[in-house]
């Protein structure tokens, strides 16, 4: 089969760190163009807008949309109308409704839409899911605490409405939780907003399931020193710790699973699979929990935050 002719829109940090190396190693894809106001990729024709790129390079089959979420819908809509398959970086959009609209448009046009959740492809996630499915889970504690100054320097969009603030990393935890646990719903939350920002710097979330499973999630962007991306489950078979963002699985302190990280190569394998199968993969559960937190959560104002 000839490779899928791919274009990238929004050439920034995640494109350079992950998309380009993963695409280069995947024979199912050939990168033939980019569209970005400033960013370019050496050796690849570049355009400063998606409109100019789609007009100039009609042979594009698919686009990966890697700009901040507030600008994803407009680009995705243009791409789907032009007959292109679409890979959405996480979070898939700024609202639930706009992503539902894209899903319907993709279906009506016979195109594939992929709402990617890279953390679901972290090495130990499937092992954690299998472990939990084979036992009784009594409670779950999610701790996702990192230093925003280290991980998100100069990203103004992340602090603007729709940028999600601490939910930008927190939604990665939720993408794992919604994959490895039964269906959950929020029962209470507190979101902490710096006085000078439109998005929260911390969030404390309480969930339950129909069966009464208590799940507590703590997201915080003020963590200096050791960073925490852990999901801890107390179960009938002992304490399970899925740590380092899903990279390692331990049970009762014993390391059970650790493999090299392959999240983005896996995402592109999955995208090729759905394009070939003529299907879409759009799970909105992680974004729905974030929307619920903004809807149900108490809003507390805390000290102003400066970069
Ligand atoms: P970024 O570097 O700040 O932004 C990506 C690119 O989007 C920018 O270089 C910029 O390119 C374009 N852009 C910025 N503001 C824009 C605007 N107002 N309108 C149109 N385009 C704009 O961000 P990133 O870290 O790559 O993250 C992008 C997406 O990937 C986010 O949704 C994020 O959650 C997700 N993601 C990031 C990481 C990570 O480690 N950084 C990991 C996984 C997923 P031009 O100026 O050239 O247009």
């Amino acid at each position: 089969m000839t490779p899928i002719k791919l274009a990238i829109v929004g050439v920034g940090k995640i494109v350079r760190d992950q998309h380009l190396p993963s695409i280069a190693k995947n024979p199912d894809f050939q990168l033939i163009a980019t569209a970005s106001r400033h960013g370019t990729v050496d050796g690849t024709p570049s355009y400063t807008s998606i409109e100019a790129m789609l007009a100039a390079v009609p042979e594009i089959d698919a686009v990966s949309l890697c700009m901040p979420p507030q600008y994803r819908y407009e680009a995705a809509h243009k791409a789907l109308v032009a007959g292109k398959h679409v890979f959405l970086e996480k979070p898939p959009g700024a609202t639930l409704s706009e992503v539902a609209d894209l899903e319907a448009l993709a279906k009506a046009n016979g195109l594939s839409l992929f709402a990617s959740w890279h953390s679901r492809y972290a090495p130990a996630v499937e092992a954690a899911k299998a472990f939990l499915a084979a036992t009784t889970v009594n409670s779950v504690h999610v701790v996702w605490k990192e230093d925003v100054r280290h991980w998100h320097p100069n990203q103004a969009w992340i602090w603007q409405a729709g940028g999600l603030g601490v939910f930008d990393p927190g939604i990665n935890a939720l993408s794992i939780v919604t994959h490895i646990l039964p269906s959950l719903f929020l029962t209470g939350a507190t979101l902490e907003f710096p006085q000078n920002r439109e998005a929260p710097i911390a969030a404390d979330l309480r969930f339950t399931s129909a069966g009464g499973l208590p799940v507590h999630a703590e997201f915080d962007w003020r963590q200096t020193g050791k960073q925490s991306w852990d999901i801890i489950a107390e179960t009938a078979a002992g304490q399970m710790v899925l740590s380092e963002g899903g990279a390692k699985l331990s049970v009762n302190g014993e390391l059970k699973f650790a493999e090299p990280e392959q999240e983005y190569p896996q995402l592109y394998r999955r995208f090729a699979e759905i394009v070939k199968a003529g299907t879409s993969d759009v799970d909105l559960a992680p974004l729905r929990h974030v929307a619920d937190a903004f809807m149900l959560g108490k809003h507390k104002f805390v000290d102003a935050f400066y970069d």
Side-chain angles (χ1 to χ4, degrees):
M1 187 179 155
T2 54
I4 297 161
K5 293 188 176 64
L6 183 72
I8 289 180
V9 188
V11 177
K13 183 173 188 319
I14 195 59
V15 167
R16 295 189 199 292
D17 289 356
Q18 297 288 349
H19 288 256
L20 295 176
S22 302
I23 293 162
K25 286 192 205 122
N26 188 329
D28 278 328
F29 292 96
Q30 182 189 1
L31 182 67
I32 64 163
T34 63
S36 210
R37 297 164 311 170
H38 311 95
T40 58
V41 174
D42 284 350
T44 304
S46 55
Y47 301 84
T48 53
S49 71
I50 186 170
E51 294 90 332
M53 181 184 75
L54 293 174
V57 195
E59 60 270 32
I60 292 168
D61 297 313
V63 295
S64 288
L65 303 182
C66 305
M67 70 288 281
Q70 298 98 321
Y71 313 102
R72 216 166 345 259
Y73 173 82
E74 203 186 331
H77 190 270
K78 287 192 170 108
L80 290 169
V81 167
K84 316 301 177 191
H85 305 291
V86 172
F87 176 129
L88 301 169
E89 248 300 350
K90 53 80 21 180
T95 70
L96 288 163
S97 302
E98 69 183 36
V99 188
D101 183 77
L102 295 175
E103 199 178 2
L105 182 59
K107 192 169 182 197
N109 290 4
L111 296 163
S112 296
L113 182 68
F114 184 29
S116 72
W117 298 112
H118 65 89
S119 291
R120 278 192 182 166
Y121 294 86
V125 167
E126 290 306 320
K129 183 176 173 136
F131 175 82
L132 294 174
T135 185
T136 303
V137 186
N138 298 320
S139 65
V140 177
H141 187 195
V142 180
V143 185
W144 228 253
K145 297 186 177 182
E146 62 177 47
D147 181 354
V148 65
R149 288 188 177 91
H150 178 80
W151 297 104
H152 300 282
N154 310 315
Q155 290 192 323
W157 60 267
I158 216 161
W159 289 108
Q160 290 160 2
L164 298 192
V166 76
F167 286 101
D168 176 80
I171 203 168
N172 297 334
L174 295 173
S175 75
I176 297 176
V177 163
T178 50
H179 186 67
I180 66 175
L181 290 175
S183 181
L184 300 172
F185 51 91
L186 195 75
T187 55
T190 303
L191 312 188
E192 295 185 26
F193 287 75
Q195 285 161 9
N196 60 339
R197 302 286 179 163
E198 294 168 5
I201 195 165
D204 189 276
L205 313 167
R206 302 272 174 180
F207 299 90
T208 193
S209 67
L213 173 68
V215 177
H216 179 204
E218 295 176 87
F219 302 157
D220 204 318
W221 251 350
R222 297 165 296 199
Q223 178 99 334
T224 53
K226 188 180 177 297
Q227 308 285 282
S228 309
W229 299 287
D230 302 325
I231 297 173
I232 303 135
E234 304 299 338
T235 80
Q239 186 187 63
M240 183 207 85
V241 180
L242 181 61
S243 59
E244 298 179 24
K248 287 186 180 161
L249 180 74
S250 303
V251 177
N252 292 327
E254 190 186 329
L255 186 64
K256 295 282 186 191
F257 195 95
E259 294 271 327
E261 189 270 300
Q262 282 284 308
E263 294 177 14
Y264 277 77
Q266 298 251 51
L267 286 181
Y268 275 97
R269 261 174 241 142
R270 177 68 181 145
F271 188 39
E273 188 178 86
I274 66 169
V275 168
K276 286 178 198 172
T279 56
S280 285
D281 180 346
V282 182
D283 178 10
L284 290 179
L287 189 61
R288 203 173 59 228
H289 286 310
V290 173
D292 284 354
F294 277 91
M295 188 156 55
L296 186 67
K298 291 177 188 162
H299 290 207
K300 189 173 149 189
F301 291 94
V302 296
D303 290 348
F305 177 86
Y306 299 99
D307 293 315

